[in-house]
Amino acid sequence: MKKILSLILTCSFFVYSGLNVSYASSESNAVDTKQSYDQQMVKLENSIKIESKVPLQKITIDPNNSKEVEMTINNYKLLPKTANDIREYSEKVQNGDITSYGISLYLPARSQGNLSTNSTTRTYVGYNHKTYYEDIVVYNSISPETEINKTKKEKWADYAKKTISATVKYYIDKTLDSVTLGNWSMAKIFLEGIPSQVSGQTEITHTAKFIQSVAKKNTYIVLDGQYYFGYASESGSYYWQNFRNIPGYGMIFDESTPVVSKKLPNYDKGDEKAYFNYVNGGLTERFSNYSYGGVIFNAI
């Protein structure tokens, strides 16, 4: 039976979507945050290439195109776990559950112009002198704009003084371990004021979009020419983009939360984890849910 390790992240972050606002806009902050996020993506791509045990090739996939998804899976002979992950993500995109930046697939490079899984350059010898195969898929997404809180103007100042804590919670074999990543003051998010002519009874709505990029690494152990799924883990970066909606004044583009990058504890131990878990169908470690202002956002 497959063992699944669930992880709940409680963090804070955001993204620049180019929205037009009618009252105020913190676009410079949005651009800075987007640049920081892009830099993290470059670092992630570089680390994937540097840390790989074999040369890699990068393939991009449009998750909105079912035909392209299936052609890629077939042409590159993707193993079942990886293929199913890509199909599930593409289905979410096509159903409108998330907006996607696309998929980047990192595979062991072709050997002598073919895709034979028997090529020794596409596998490596790792833990306990066994043979392993890894692939990595990077997924990017933006959530729908989601209501975080609704507060009357006369109580807005109190709401803006609140602090959001970011805590990572790991559920491992029924025990709970949590790590605090940091705190973000709401006052630093809502820098623009509310027009004085707005009534104190007017409800101000705080909304946010969740931006995430996640590298999902699947490790397989190779025994007698057969590939057995052994371990899945993740590394990624995240942030939230904030807005306020004021009746009669439209939307205020507020500050973004800091970009946070997080790697699951065993991400770099794929072969060791695969060795001990393939007989049980494999072990999967995932980011599962993220809590921001008490509202749950789903991981990719």
Side-chain angles (χ1 to χ4, degrees), residues 220-251:
Y220 301 81
I221 187 169
V222 186
L223 301 170
D224 298 324
Q226 298 296 313
Y227 287 63
Y228 299 92
F229 168 65
Y231 179 65
S233 190
E234 296 183 350
S235 175
S237 296
Y238 322 84
Y239 72 100
W240 275 272
Q241 177 181 2
N242 292 279
F243 311 92
R244 270 176 295 166
N245 294 279
I246 304 175
Y249 291 86
M251 180 182 290

Side-chain angles (χ1 to χ4, degrees), residues 50-234:
I50 292 171
E51 294 169 6
S52 176
K53 285 83 172 177
V54 298
L56 296 176
Q57 58 181 325
K58 177 181 177 180
I59 300 100
T60 58
I61 309 172
D62 178 5
N64 288 290
N65 189 329
S66 297
K67 184 177 180 180
E68 181 178 325
V69 168
E70 291 304 318
M71 285 181 61
T72 302
I73 289 173
N74 293 328
N75 288 345
Y76 291 93
K77 297 180 173 64
L78 299 188
L79 295 172
K81 173 62 175 173
T82 305
N84 289 337
D85 287 345
I86 292 174
R87 289 189 180 107
E88 289 177 5
Y89 174 80
S90 298
E91 184 176 352
K92 291 180 182 179
V93 173
Q94 293 175 26
N95 288 340
D97 297 332
I98 55 177
T99 300
S100 174
Y101 279 135
I103 300 174
S104 297
L105 171 63
Y106 294 86
L107 291 174
R110 303 178 186 219
S111 175
Q112 299 178 349
N114 65 64
L115 290 170
S116 171
T117 55
N118 293 323
S119 170
T120 57
T121 62
R122 305 191 79 226
T123 60
Y124 66 93
V125 176
Y127 187 80
N128 207 29
H129 307 291
K130 299 299 183 181
T131 301
Y132 300 90
Y133 175 93
E134 288 183 345
D135 56 36
I136 299 175
V137 187
V138 178
Y139 302 89
N140 304 280
S141 74
I142 304 176
S143 75
E145 185 178 346
T146 303
E147 181 177 317
I148 306 301
N149 207 318
K150 185 177 290 185
T151 307
K152 291 182 179 179
K153 180 189 175 183
E154 63 183 11
K155 296 182 179 180
W156 182 261
D158 292 334
Y159 177 61
K161 292 178 182 177
K162 291 183 178 180
T163 298
I164 297 179
S165 297
T167 304
V168 184
K169 296 181 178 178
Y170 303 95
Y171 288 90
I172 305 174
D173 295 331
K174 299 182 180 180
T175 63
L176 174 64
D177 183 27
S178 63
V179 181
T180 298
L181 294 183
N183 298 314
W184 290 272
S185 172
M186 299 287 276
K188 292 182 179 179
I189 293 171
F190 306 120
L191 297 183
E192 300 287 350
I194 298 174
S196 59
Q197 56 266 45
V198 175
S199 166
Q201 296 302 305
T202 300
E203 286 190 325
I204 313 300
T205 305
H206 170 205
T207 61
K209 291 184 177 182
F210 181 47
I211 293 82
Q212 55 180 320
S213 180
V214 179
K216 296 177 181 282
K217 180 166 67 175
N218 293 326
T219 304
Y220 301 81
I221 187 169
V222 186
L223 301 170
D224 298 324
Q226 298 296 313
Y227 287 63
Y228 299 92
F229 168 65
Y231 179 65
S233 190
E234 296 183 350

